[in-house]
Every structure is written in C-alpha cells, then in structure tokens.
C-alpha cells in the first residue's frame, strides 16, 4: 500500500466494513456514524461475541477498544442487551481497562 490513495483508504474505519464480504473480517462488521444505529445494532452484536470499537483514524491503538460483556444476567446470542449491561473495555494503545 505504498500509494497515498491506498494508504488513505485503508486508514479509514470504513476499510474494515469494505472487507466484511471477505474472510478477513467478520460479516457483522459495521461503521457507526450516528448514535441511533449504534444503539440499535451494537447491543445485539455484543451479545454474540466480543467486539472491537475504533473511534479514531489511524493505527496507533489509541481509541481502539476491545469490549467484552461482564454482566452476569442471562442472555442469548442475538438478544439486544440492555443499555445498563456491565462491560469491560480494554484500550489497545496501553491495555488499560475500564468497567462500564
């Protein structure tokens, strides 16, 4: 990816979404640009497995979060988790953990 156009395109968050039809990333990879779709889809996808959120552009690890459910309430994969579900968030840049 030495061409600047390629570097710009694949540095964007949407690059992973563009690859979700391949075997490189999960098919349920989304880019959220508004809060409403995030509130609708993220609790459902999180109920299926851990998720990664990337809030910034770039690849330094800053603003990239691994999100795992810690809540002890029972749920089924595919359920929409309540918005007060306990989660563990680990940031990639320094591995610090936040419980929310």
């Amino acid at each position: 990816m030495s061409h600047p156009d390629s570097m710009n395109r694949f540095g964007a968050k949407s690059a992973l979404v563009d690859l979700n039809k391949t075997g490189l990333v999960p098919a349920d990879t989304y880019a959220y640009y508004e809060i409403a779709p995030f509130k609708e889809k993220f609790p459902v996808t999180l109920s299926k497995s851990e998720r990664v959120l990337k809030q910034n552009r770039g690849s330094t690890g800053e603003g990239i979060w691994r999100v795992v459910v810690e809540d002890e309430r029972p749920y089924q994969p595919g359920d929409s988790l309540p918005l007060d579900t306990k989660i563990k968030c680990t940031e990639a840049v320094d591995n610090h953990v936040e419980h929310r």
Side-chain angles (χ1 to χ4, degrees), residues 80-96:
S80 182
L81 299 174
L83 294 180
D84 66 345
T85 299
K86 293 178 185 176
I87 57 174
K88 175 183 172 184
C89 303
T90 307
E91 189 177 30
V93 72
D94 61 4
N95 288 322
H96 86 273

Side-chain angles (χ1 to χ4, degrees), residues 1-53:
M1 289 193 299
S2 59
H3 193 277
D5 290 343
S6 296
M7 292 175 69
N8 281 335
R9 184 163 189 276
F10 285 101
K13 290 180 268 191
S14 62
L16 290 176
V17 176
D18 293 343
L19 295 171
N20 73 354
K21 295 173 183 69
T22 70
L24 298 173
V25 298
D28 63 345
T29 299
Y30 302 101
Y32 304 105
Y33 297 102
E34 297 178 15
I35 292 174
F38 178 78
K39 284 185 174 181
E40 178 186 332
K41 287 184 181 179
F42 187 74
V44 174
T45 61
L46 184 59
S47 76
K48 295 177 184 177
S49 67
E50 66 186 48
R51 306 303 297 175
V52 173
L53 293 175

Side-chain angles (χ1 to χ4, degrees), residues 42-81:
F42 187 74
V44 174
T45 61
L46 184 59
S47 76
K48 295 177 184 177
S49 67
E50 66 186 48
R51 306 303 297 175
V52 173
L53 293 175
K54 181 179 181 187
Q55 68 189 63
N56 301 323
R57 183 178 172 82
S59 58
T60 63
E62 183 178 356
I64 299 175
W65 296 88
R66 176 179 176 231
V67 183
V68 179
V69 175
E70 284 193 320
D71 208 290
E72 294 183 12
R73 293 179 285 187
Y75 63 90
Q76 296 294 317
D79 285 353
S80 182
L81 299 174

